[in-house]
């Protein structure tokens, strides 16, 4: 695609963001004189207030997992106290090292890492993607050092997060995707068939993003362990829900360090851990693997330099508020929050089952994906967007999902969602093919045209950075 075509595509995409950018003057260069602080704060408050209504009223799938004003105000106070903190300088901010070590320890204990001898270890990262990238790069380097693997491969189900594909692209690895059954769970036999001498890691999800279904981690990890291959459980989405769901009596198969073959786990504190974006925990069964994650150099003129994760300087305030979110919530708070989320999700799932033409995919607990053989599901998605809902469109198979959070447990939110969904299904039945997103997803479904969609996504990235 040449520059002219990219510009034409950008013009098509830009109107989506233009209203927000036209509301106030754009700063394409530094103002000649610094602006008044009160004026800037008023502008920022106006922007924030305009965006708050949708997610605060439960119109968003995932995205904001707690969202209570009292909780947000508390985290903002914590952030302000440590806004200058940087864990790159532990001599200046030793408190940040306390917060990070304790967040890792608390998360490890929740996922049975503290039961190991020696206990599991880990690091705090900037989010699930960084946790996954670090894990895959570490497995690559470990396999190169211990087995001489020079053409590394990751074996992961096709439902595994896109961050595993990103890791493969960034670090010169090959991602080998295995299929899933009608229940959206991975077949351990397919994993076994995909393993080669080049495999450096096997991946399973608890739960996976598209359909909210947990892979059979015990069986998959056993297959990896037979070959001496590391197994990573991606619990970024489920890590702060499944332990409490299990306590509440829901059917939860082991996915964490209770499973002997599991060698690492990623778990996001900034999702159902109720910390602000962005923080995540990457845990390792043994310290040798974590050691390969670290970066250190001894011959730089600037002095000795090290970093445990990709970033050098990091916002210590995010570490502080992750710690604060966990200690103020406590076990009782996570149990109650999980009870509310899962009860609401069950009510929404029952309602979806009662809408003619829709079917729920798999057996999810709180991330509910639904498809249809009778109406255009992307027409339904567009209809819901027109009513203010921000849902996730899926493909292979075409579907839509809602990730239920505490925002949906408010009075009347589930009922509003189901009423709007029922209406949008009927509208899609009466007027098929009118969805704005249907042509884009249709292109993505055809191998010969995926390159066009790839360019569309890259152009959208261009648009995001236009002032």
């Amino acid at each position: 695609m040449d520059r002219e075509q990219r510009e034409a595509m950008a013009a098509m995409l830009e109107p989506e963001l233009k209203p927000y950018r036209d509301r106030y003057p754009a700063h394409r260069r530094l103002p000649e004189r610094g602006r008044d602080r009160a004026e800037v704060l008023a502008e920022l408050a106006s922007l924030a207030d305009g965006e708050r209504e949708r997610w605060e009223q439960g119109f968003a799938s995932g995205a904001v997992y707690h969202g209570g004003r009292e909780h947000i105000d508390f985290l903002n106070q914590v952030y302000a106290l440590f806004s200058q903190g940087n864990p790159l300088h532990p001599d200046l901010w030793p408190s940040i090292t306390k917060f990070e070590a304790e967040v890792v320890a608390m998360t490890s204990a929740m996922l049975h890492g503290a039961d190991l001898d020696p206990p599991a270890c880990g690091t705090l990262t900037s989010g699930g993607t960084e946790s996954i990238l670090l894990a895959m790069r570490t497995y690559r380097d470990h396999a190169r050092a211990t087995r001489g693997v020079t053409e590394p491969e990751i074996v992961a189900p096709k439902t595994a997060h896109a961050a595993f594909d990103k890791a493969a692209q960034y670090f010169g690895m090959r991602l080998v995707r295995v299929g899933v059954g009608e229940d959206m769970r991975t077949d351990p036999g397919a994993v076994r068939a995909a393993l080669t001498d080049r495999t450096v890691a096997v991946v399973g999800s608890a739960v996976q993003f598209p359909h909210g279904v947990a892979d059979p981690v015990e069986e998959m990890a056993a297959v990896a362990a037979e070959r001496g291959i590391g197994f990573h459980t991606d619990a970024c989405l489920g890590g702060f829900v499944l332990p409490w769901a299990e306590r509440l009596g829901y059917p939860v198969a082991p996915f964490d360090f209770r499973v002997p073959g599991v060698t690492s786990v990623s778990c996001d504190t900034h999702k159902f851990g109720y910390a602000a974006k962005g923080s995540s925990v990457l845990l390792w069964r043994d310290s040798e693997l974590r050691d390969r994650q670290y970066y250190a150099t001894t011959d730089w003129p600037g002095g000795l330099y090290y970093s445990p994760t990709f970033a050098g300087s990091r916002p210590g305030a995010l570490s502080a508020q992750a710690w604060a979110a966990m200690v103020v919530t406590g076990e009782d708070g996570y149990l109650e929050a999980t009870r509310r989320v899962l009860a609401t999700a069950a009510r929404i799932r029952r309602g979806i089952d009662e809408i003619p033409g829709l079917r729920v995919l798999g057996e999810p607990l709180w991330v509910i994906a639904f498809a249809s053989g009778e109406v255009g599901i992307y027409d339904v998605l567009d209809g819901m967007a027109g009513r203010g809902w921000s849902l996730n469109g899926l493909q292979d198979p075409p579907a839509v999902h809602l990730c239920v959070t505490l925002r949906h447990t408010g009075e009347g939110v589930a009922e509003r969602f189901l009423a709007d969904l029922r209406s949008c299904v009927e509208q899609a039945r009466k007027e098929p093919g009118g969805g704005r997103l249907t042509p884009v997803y249709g292109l993505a479904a055809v191998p010969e045209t995926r390159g066009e969609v790839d360019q569309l996504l890259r152009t959208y990235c261009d648009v995001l950075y236009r002032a």
Side-chain angles (χ1 to χ4, degrees):
M1 184 176 291
D2 60 28
R3 184 178 181 84
E4 189 173 323
Q5 290 172 310
R6 288 279 287 254
E7 286 298 321
M9 192 177 286
M12 178 182 73
L13 295 167
E14 207 152 17
E16 208 171 302
L17 298 170
K18 199 170 187 299
Y20 297 94
R21 291 172 172 171
D22 286 350
R23 192 177 301 171
Y24 299 98
H27 292 289
R28 295 185 177 87
R29 61 179 60 210
L30 285 170
E32 186 175 338
R33 295 183 180 276
R35 293 178 57 186
D36 179 72
R37 285 190 174 93
E39 176 189 290
V40 170
L41 285 172
E43 180 178 321
L44 293 173
S46 176
L47 286 165
D49 288 343
E51 295 168 346
R52 180 181 292 113
E53 185 177 357
R54 284 180 74 193
W55 60 257
E56 196 169 54
Q57 294 185 7
F59 281 99
S61 171
V64 178
Y65 295 84
H66 192 292
R69 291 203 176 189
E70 185 179 356
H71 185 69
I72 292 172
D73 288 345
F74 169 71
L75 294 185
N76 287 343
Q77 291 177 58
V78 174
Y79 194 100
L81 289 171
F82 293 92
S83 66
Q84 302 307 299
N86 182 357
L88 186 64
H89 302 285
D91 57 325
L92 289 174
W93 291 283
S95 59
I96 306 299
T97 67
K98 164 190 165 66
F99 299 141
E100 294 202 342
E102 292 180 16
V103 167
V104 169
M106 288 187 286
T107 306
S108 177
M110 182 180 68
L111 300 176
H112 298 277
D115 300 338
L116 303 177
D117 184 19
C121 55
T123 57
L124 199 65
T125 75
S126 64
T129 292
E130 187 181 11
S131 289
I132 288 167
L133 292 177
L134 281 165
M136 295 303 104
R137 198 217 67 184
T138 299
Y139 281 122
R140 181 200 68 177
D141 293 353
H142 182 69
R144 180 189 297 155
T146 60
R147 293 163 42 206
V149 177
T150 57
E151 297 179 354
E153 296 178 350
I154 305 165
V155 171
K158 71 177 186 178
T159 51
H161 198 277
F164 291 99
D165 182 66
K166 179 184 277 191
Q169 290 189 34
Y170 278 10
F171 305 133
M173 306 168 78
R174 178 173 175 246
L175 182 64
V176 180
R177 294 280 196 184
V178 298
V180 297
E182 290 187 6
D183 60 359
M184 301 300 157
R185 301 174 82 232
T186 307
D187 175 12
V191 172
R192 178 178 280 107
L195 298 181
T196 71
D197 291 339
R198 297 180 296 276
T199 307
V200 301
V202 177
V203 174
S205 306
V207 298
Q208 40 99 322
F209 172 85
H211 318 106
V213 173
D215 284 321
V217 168
E218 285 183 289
E219 294 91 334
M220 294 170 67
V223 169
E226 288 172 10
R227 298 282 294 269
I229 296 168
F231 184 92
H232 180 81
T233 298
D234 175 17
C236 288
L237 184 54
F240 272 90
V241 177
L242 294 176
W244 316 111
E246 183 178 4
R247 285 207 199 180
L248 292 166
Y250 287 86
V252 176
F255 66 94
D256 52 23
F257 289 111
R258 286 175 293 180
V259 180
V262 169
T263 50
S264 59
V265 180
S266 52
C267 179
D268 285 0
T269 40
H270 70 193
K271 289 189 173 77
F272 289 97
Y274 303 130
K277 295 289 191 289
S279 65
S280 173
V281 174
L282 174 57
L283 296 169
W284 295 100
R285 180 174 285 269
D286 77 61
S287 58
E288 181 188 353
L289 284 167
R290 183 176 65 168
D291 188 68
R292 292 193 190 279
Q293 174 191 310
Y294 296 158
Y295 168 79
T297 183
T298 60
D299 57 2
W300 178 46
L304 302 178
Y305 187 90
Y306 70 94
S307 60
T309 59
F310 287 134
S313 290
R314 293 184 289 119
L318 285 177
S319 304
Q321 59 80 35
W323 177 89
M326 293 177 72
V327 298
V328 300
T329 303
E331 291 191 0
D332 59 336
Y334 285 118
L335 276 166
E336 174 59 18
T338 302
R339 184 194 65 74
R340 291 169 57 194
V341 167
L342 297 186
T344 301
R347 189 158 72 250
I348 290 173
R349 179 178 173 176
R350 286 193 301 270
I352 294 172
D353 284 334
E354 292 168 0
I355 298 176
L358 296 186
R359 72 179 189 280
V360 173
L361 301 178
E363 295 292 334
L365 285 177
W366 75 97
V367 182
I368 306 167
F370 50 93
S372 177
E374 298 181 16
V375 298
I377 199 65
Y378 301 134
D379 293 342
V380 175
L381 176 61
D382 276 346
M384 292 294 281
R387 293 168 183 255
W389 292 95
S390 177
L391 306 178
N392 293 95
L394 314 174
Q395 56 185 354
D396 192 22
V400 173
H401 90 204
L402 171 71
C403 176
V404 179
T405 70
L406 283 175
R407 293 293 87 210
H408 302 107
T409 66
E411 186 176 354
V413 178
E415 290 69 27
R416 184 203 324 142
F417 172 80
L418 291 169
D420 285 348
L421 181 60
R422 195 174 296 109
S423 177
C424 289
V425 169
E426 287 308 308
Q427 186 67 27
R429 201 184 298 276
K430 292 174 186 174
E431 300 177 17
R436 176 177 57 90
L437 293 172
T438 301
V440 175
Y441 276 100
L443 281 172
V446 180
E448 291 78 8
T449 58
R450 282 188 195 138
E452 296 177 43
V453 182
D454 178 89
Q455 288 298 314
L456 181 74
L457 296 174
R458 293 174 186 276
T459 303
Y460 192 67
C461 288
D462 292 345
V463 171
L464 293 175
Y465 281 94
R466 289 190 175 181

